[in-house]
Amino acid sequence: MLSEDQQRLDAPPIPSPWSWRERVGMVLREYLWYLLCAWTPKPLNRWRLFWLRVFGARVFGTPFVHQRARIQIPWHVTLHHRCCIGDRTNLYSLGEIEVGSGAVVAQEAYLCTGTHDFADPGLELITSKVCIGRGAFIGARAFVLPGVTIGEGAIIGACAVVTAEVAPYTVYAGNPARFLKRREDTPNVPDPIQTVL
């Protein structure tokens, strides 16, 4: 009789959630980005946007994408005018990611749309959309979990771990990210703390 560990090792492989075409597209995009874009200086942003569009990204206006930004699956990404995807930012777009106009995702930030069902022995992939609102700022090395919406004009501090929705025009920081204050330069929007109370 086989032990549990041996049975797990002998189990058939878990099928990929991606079609053959999607897997080929991901590999091809990876190599073409390295060959055609990763070396380009900042002023060649339009060239990088061209290649993102070729691979299915929805690009509106002229966002900025740093040459060392990593976008896992471009056809799951929507970028709006004047948003900025910083140096070594990771858009782990197993699900949809949308970055609003004028939003900044600073260097080495990580927007993650995928996790696993830990109750399932096969650890099935679960994806959920991440939305970054218009004019929001995601600080360096912040981590945004699947299903999170960052409200318009919100600020996320460096290295924060965002696990839940962030109200518009608020400041959050920490691990897990917590509400610190409302922005003083905001339009008249309800205070998220007073709304709950």
Side-chain angles (χ1 to χ4, degrees):
M1 180 156 220
L2 297 174
S3 71
E4 277 187 48
D5 288 339
Q6 289 171 326
Q7 287 175 359
R8 242 181 284 145
L9 292 175
D10 292 340
I14 297 169
S16 172
W18 315 115
S19 69
W20 176 252
R21 182 178 178 192
E22 287 175 312
R23 286 183 276 175
V24 168
M26 285 186 261
V27 170
L28 187 58
R29 190 234 29 108
E30 183 91 22
Y31 285 110
L32 284 176
W33 186 266
Y34 179 75
L35 181 68
L36 301 171
C37 298
W39 57 270
T40 59
K42 284 184 181 182
L44 288 181
N45 182 53
R46 289 186 188 272
W47 173 252
R48 293 188 295 276
L49 294 178
F50 167 78
W51 283 103
L52 285 172
R53 284 184 178 105
V54 166
F55 278 98
R58 290 169 300 285
V59 177
F60 300 99
T62 310
F64 175 78
V65 177
H66 196 281
Q67 65 267 30
R68 287 188 298 258
R70 179 172 166 77
I71 299 174
Q72 183 70 26
I73 304 176
W75 52 91
H76 287 172
V77 173
T78 302
L79 302 174
H80 292 275
H81 186 57
R82 295 182 58 100
C83 75
C84 177
I85 308 301
D87 187 10
R88 292 189 172 92
T89 292
N90 197 327
L91 302 186
Y92 194 54
S93 52
L94 302 180
E96 296 292 319
I97 293 178
E98 183 168 0
V99 183
S101 61
V104 174
V105 183
Q107 64 272 17
E108 298 183 12
Y110 199 104
L111 306 184
C112 181
T113 61
T115 187
H116 295 276
D117 180 356
F118 296 109
D120 177 3
L123 297 175
E124 181 182 347
L125 176 67
I126 299 171
T127 63
S128 192
K129 184 175 182 175
V130 168
C131 293
I132 309 300
R134 190 168 60 95
F137 180 86
I138 311 299
R141 295 190 175 180
F143 194 99
V144 179
L145 273 72
V148 168
T149 295
I150 307 292
E152 178 179 341
I155 296 174
I156 305 300
C159 299
V161 176
V162 186
T163 61
E165 185 170 335
V166 172
Y169 297 98
T170 56
V171 179
Y172 279 68
N175 180 3
R178 291 187 176 94
F179 172 78
L180 297 180
K181 65 179 185 174
R182 285 185 38 73
R183 287 182 56 181
E184 294 174 12
D185 59 338
T186 65
N188 192 12
V189 292
D191 187 325
I193 301 301
Q194 293 301 322
T195 305
V196 172
L197 301 175

